[in-house]
Amino acid sequence: MLIPGPGTPRHRQGSTPSLSLLLNGDPYQLLQGDGPALMPPVPPDSPRGLFGSWQDYYTWRGLSLDSPMAVLLTYPLTVYYVITHLVPQSFPELNIQNKQSLKIHVVEAGKEFDLVMVFWELLVLLPHVALELQFVGDRLPPESDQQHFTLQRDGPEVSVRPGSGVSARLNSGTKEKGSRRDLQIKVSARPYHLLQGPKPDLVIGFNSGFGLKDTWLSSLPRLQSLRVPAFFTESSEYGCVMDEQTMAVATGGGTSPPQPNPFRSPFRLRAADNCMPWYCNAFIFHLIYKPSQGSGARPGPGPGPPAPTPAAPPVSARRRRGEKKPGRGARRRR
């Protein structure tokens, strides 16, 4: 990412790294030939605690800190962080950490579906949870609409179950331990508000940009009606502010204060209109739904009205109305 692309104006000496200093002039040198696997074998011991940083995860996974895998793993690790940290903090009543299965909708998906194989890492991190990911969005390939396939482990590799119409294979370095773990994948190539099906346990969107696409004005009200925990990432705090405004216009609700995502991509993005730092999945927030109509009025009559209490206000009200009438009439006559 430090090497200028074709057609880039030449800079003065010393302003950019020389090609000879970067991989001997070949930026793709490390990607060629039969080099070591990008992902080492899964450690035999489960993690002792929850990961809250790239350093903790890299150390356990056997990755060196200069490994570029964080660029791809930011997506599954962000989902992991939402499940293990953010949902328990914001929605403790769901008791999500004790659930044995989770259905997650990945909304407005695009390139995330192109990287679907890296989501296998979720089962490495959450081995005791049966996961189903449903990718939803009108940017998904139409030929993949309504597809349902399974990522499964075959020895040291992860493959797609035959008959799904998808052919892929990934060397994950996993070790067979006597039980097969599967990751269910579903695809719906349509806007989220047109999706039909059972209610998910969790909704996640990456680099959402509510104000950049009109379909959010219909999808956000759909989420409001479902009232499921919904978390979204943005590349900057400015994007989070715009998302909050769009949520208010679309539903009357809001968003939680954004917080930095410890599993954001470490590679900086170039902002189009300012020099502020932008990173893929940099900040994360959840939707705050507008209270449903009548939700505040129902608890009122719950205890059962005592006899004297409801009778007193109407009497005083009649008296006040009776006293006000002459006053209004007197003012008119004056």
Side-chain angles (χ1 to χ4, degrees):
M1 296 184 69
L2 298 176
I3 299 175
T8 303
R10 292 185 176 273
H11 299 271
R12 64 182 185 274
Q13 182 70 22
S15 62
T16 58
S18 63
L19 297 183
S20 60
L21 296 179
L22 292 173
L23 306 177
N24 297 323
D26 184 2
Y28 304 104
Q29 177 180 341
L30 295 181
L31 302 180
Q32 298 174 354
D34 297 329
L38 287 177
M39 293 298 291
V42 175
D45 298 328
S46 300
R48 296 180 179 180
L50 300 176
F51 298 123
S53 68
W54 279 122
Q55 184 171 5
D56 293 341
Y57 167 76
Y58 265 42
T59 300
W60 174 78
R61 200 62 172 84
L63 292 166
S64 60
L65 288 179
D66 61 353
S67 170
M69 284 302 296
V71 178
L72 303 179
L73 293 174
T74 177
Y75 297 101
L77 267 293
T78 296
V79 176
Y80 165 82
Y81 183 67
V82 169
I83 294 173
T84 57
H85 288 75
L86 300 185
V87 174
Q89 292 175 8
S90 303
F91 304 91
E93 68 279 4
L94 297 180
N95 200 20
I96 193 171
Q97 289 177 308
N98 292 329
K99 289 183 176 292
Q100 297 182 351
S101 63
L102 286 174
K103 293 182 178 180
I104 302 174
H105 285 179
V106 182
V107 297
E108 288 299 329
K111 62 181 179 182
E112 297 85 9
F113 180 65
D114 296 333
L115 303 173
V116 65
M117 299 297 281
V118 302
F119 285 92
W120 174 261
E121 192 69 10
L122 283 172
L123 289 188
V124 175
L125 294 167
L126 303 170
H128 305 297
V129 182
L131 290 172
E132 177 187 293
L133 299 182
Q134 184 164 358
F135 294 83
V136 187
D138 55 3
R139 295 179 180 176
L140 294 171
E143 60 272 15
S144 299
D145 187 34
Q146 299 301 310
Q147 278 196 353
H148 179 194
F149 55 93
T150 302
L151 299 183
Q152 64 186 25
R153 182 181 58 199
D154 298 318
E157 295 184 332
V158 174
S159 61
V160 176
R161 175 173 295 174
S164 63
V166 180
S167 178
R169 208 164 186 85
L170 174 68
N171 189 336
S172 68
T174 58
K175 295 181 179 180
E176 191 67 38
K177 297 181 180 180
S179 61
R180 167 170 289 176
R181 293 175 295 173
D182 297 336
L183 177 62
Q184 302 294 321
I185 302 293
K186 293 183 178 180
V187 186
S188 297
R190 65 198 65 191
Y192 190 73
H193 63 278
L194 298 180
L195 178 67
Q196 301 294 329
K199 184 177 177 179
D201 298 298
L202 181 64
V203 172
I204 294 179
F206 297 103
N207 305 298
S208 48
F210 292 167
L212 302 178
K213 196 174 181 184
D214 292 339
T215 53
W216 282 114
L217 296 177
S218 299
S219 297
L220 290 174
R222 173 68 190 282
L223 290 171
Q224 166 80 29
S225 64
L226 292 176
R227 306 187 73 84
V228 298
F231 288 81
F232 296 89
T233 67
E234 274 290 1
S235 55
S236 68
E237 285 187 286
Y238 171 78
C240 297
V241 172
M242 300 304 297
D243 290 347
E244 182 180 22
Q245 294 179 0
T246 305
M247 178 66 178
V249 170
T251 69
T255 63
S256 66
Q259 56 181 295
N261 176 16
F263 292 107
R264 61 189 176 274
S265 171
F267 287 90
R268 179 172 174 169
L269 304 175
R270 290 191 177 184
D273 55 353
N274 58 62
C275 294
M276 297 179 66
W278 285 31
Y279 296 88
C280 179
N281 299 324
F283 294 91
I284 194 165
F285 62 88
H286 69 266
L287 300 185
I288 299 176
Y289 299 118
K290 180 181 178 181
S292 57
Q293 294 182 355
S295 61
R298 289 180 181 177
T309 304
V315 173
S316 60
R318 292 192 192 99
R319 288 176 182 172
R320 283 195 295 270
R321 286 196 295 270
E323 292 171 359
K324 289 180 180 178
K325 285 184 179 178
R328 288 196 298 268
R331 291 190 187 97
R332 290 192 189 100
R333 284 194 294 269
R334 288 177 184 175

